[in-house]
Amino acid sequence: MVEKVNSIKKIARCAGLVYLLIAIIAILANSFVLESLIIPGDAATTANNIMANELLFRSAIASFMVLVILDVVVAWALYILLRPVNKNLAMLAAWFRVVFATILGIALHNFLSVLQLLSGADYLKVFETEQLEAQAMLFLNAFNYTWLIGLTIFGLHLFILGYLIFQSSYIPKIIGILLVVSSLGYITDSFANFLLPNYADYEALFLLIVAIPAIIGELSLTFWLLLKGVNIKHWERRVAQAQNADKW
């Protein structure tokens, strides 16, 4: 049992550390790289930015690939931590996160297509420059919409995760509540993108709906796991209850 307790402590710290890495890499790749290169509605400037900073753009692609891997690691760690609460729901939450990571990986194909279109290869000379730039912008937008589908799945992951944490007794209930609120933000924003033709008019509002709860909820979980881990006494009690109920 001592070895299992030590292992759980390490897994909790690992989950917190990986979650922190995900937050840092996502902010750097999306907010500081992509948003500095991609100018919405301006295909020519965007194409010029990408080709003038090709290595930076490629670094963003590599960063997202790292995120795919880290999300799978977090899915595994959170499943181990929350399995005593409800094994089936913990597994479902893990699968939702793995599916999200898979969708993100698929979405990255659009970035590789952008590089091909703007590569200047001989076989592309049959297209006008404006046509290539427009197609590149189309692929950039396709990445965003594919990612939105993934974020809907991610929202479902957070909803179940928040419920499990609320029920756990070894991670503060308030974190579970914050994650549920965050999940509703992700889901609302994604469906608003799909349903509202004039979404751009309300984009700032929806970003606040998503960003503020997500930052508070996910960072709360991150730093709690990293600094506090789990309440081992309560975790052991939930393990014993699960074993007695044959849910382990």
Side-chain angles (χ1 to χ4, degrees):
M1 179 60 75
V2 173
E3 292 182 359
K4 180 178 288 188
V5 167
N6 290 333
S7 177
I8 288 300
K9 289 180 179 179
K10 291 178 181 178
I11 290 173
R13 298 294 194 277
C14 173
L17 177 60
V18 174
Y19 227 130
L20 182 61
L21 288 175
I22 288 174
I24 293 172
I25 294 172
I27 291 173
L28 291 176
N30 191 51
S31 300
F32 288 93
V33 177
L34 295 183
E35 290 186 5
S36 68
L37 299 178
I38 300 172
I39 310 300
D42 192 338
T45 301
T46 297
N48 290 332
N49 287 344
I50 291 174
M51 295 319 297
N53 301 275
E54 183 177 349
L55 183 58
L56 191 61
F57 186 72
R58 288 181 179 275
S59 71
I61 298 174
S63 297
F64 278 111
M65 282 302 303
V66 172
L67 289 180
V68 170
I69 297 170
L70 294 180
D71 270 310
V72 174
V73 174
V74 166
W76 162 79
L78 293 175
Y79 167 72
I80 297 297
L81 291 176
L82 295 170
R83 183 172 59 171
V85 181
N86 188 305
K87 182 178 180 180
N88 292 332
L89 284 180
M91 178 65 74
L92 182 60
W95 272 113
F96 273 136
R97 186 145 197 157
V98 170
V99 170
F100 160 72
T102 302
I103 293 174
L104 176 57
I106 294 171
L108 289 177
H109 175 267
N110 293 290
F111 284 164
L112 298 176
S113 296
V114 169
L115 289 175
Q116 288 181 314
L117 286 169
L118 302 179
S119 65
D122 289 340
Y123 65 87
L124 294 172
K125 291 180 179 179
V126 297
F127 297 102
E128 298 291 336
T129 299
E130 292 80 5
Q131 291 176 316
L132 293 173
E133 292 170 348
Q135 289 183 63
M137 183 62 80
L138 182 65
F139 278 114
L140 291 172
N141 290 333
F143 169 83
N144 288 331
Y145 282 112
T146 306
W147 195 9
L148 278 173
I149 295 172
L151 288 177
T152 305
I153 304 298
F154 183 72
L156 295 174
H157 158 77
L158 286 183
F159 188 89
I160 300 173
L161 186 66
Y163 170 79
L164 290 170
I165 288 174
F166 184 83
Q167 296 291 331
S168 70
S169 78
Y170 49 83
I171 300 175
K173 291 181 181 294
I174 185 61
I175 294 179
I177 295 172
L178 290 171
L179 289 178
V180 169
V181 174
S182 179
S183 75
L184 297 177
Y186 277 111
I187 294 171
T188 300
D189 181 64
S190 295
F191 275 96
N193 265 279
F194 301 142
L195 295 173
L196 298 179
N198 59 335
Y199 171 83
D201 296 337
Y202 308 98
E203 185 174 5
L205 174 62
F206 280 110
L207 285 177
L208 286 176
I209 292 174
V210 173
I212 294 177
I215 290 172
I216 297 174
E218 293 185 75
L219 285 184
S220 296
L221 176 62
T222 297
F223 286 111
W224 182 270
L225 292 174
L226 190 59
L227 301 176
K228 293 289 187 177
V230 298
N231 186 314
I232 295 300
K233 181 179 179 180
H234 289 288
W235 182 84
E236 289 178 330
R237 188 185 67 189
R238 292 308 299 254
V239 170
Q241 290 174 347
Q243 289 174 334
N244 292 335
D246 196 27
K247 295 179 182 178
W248 183 248

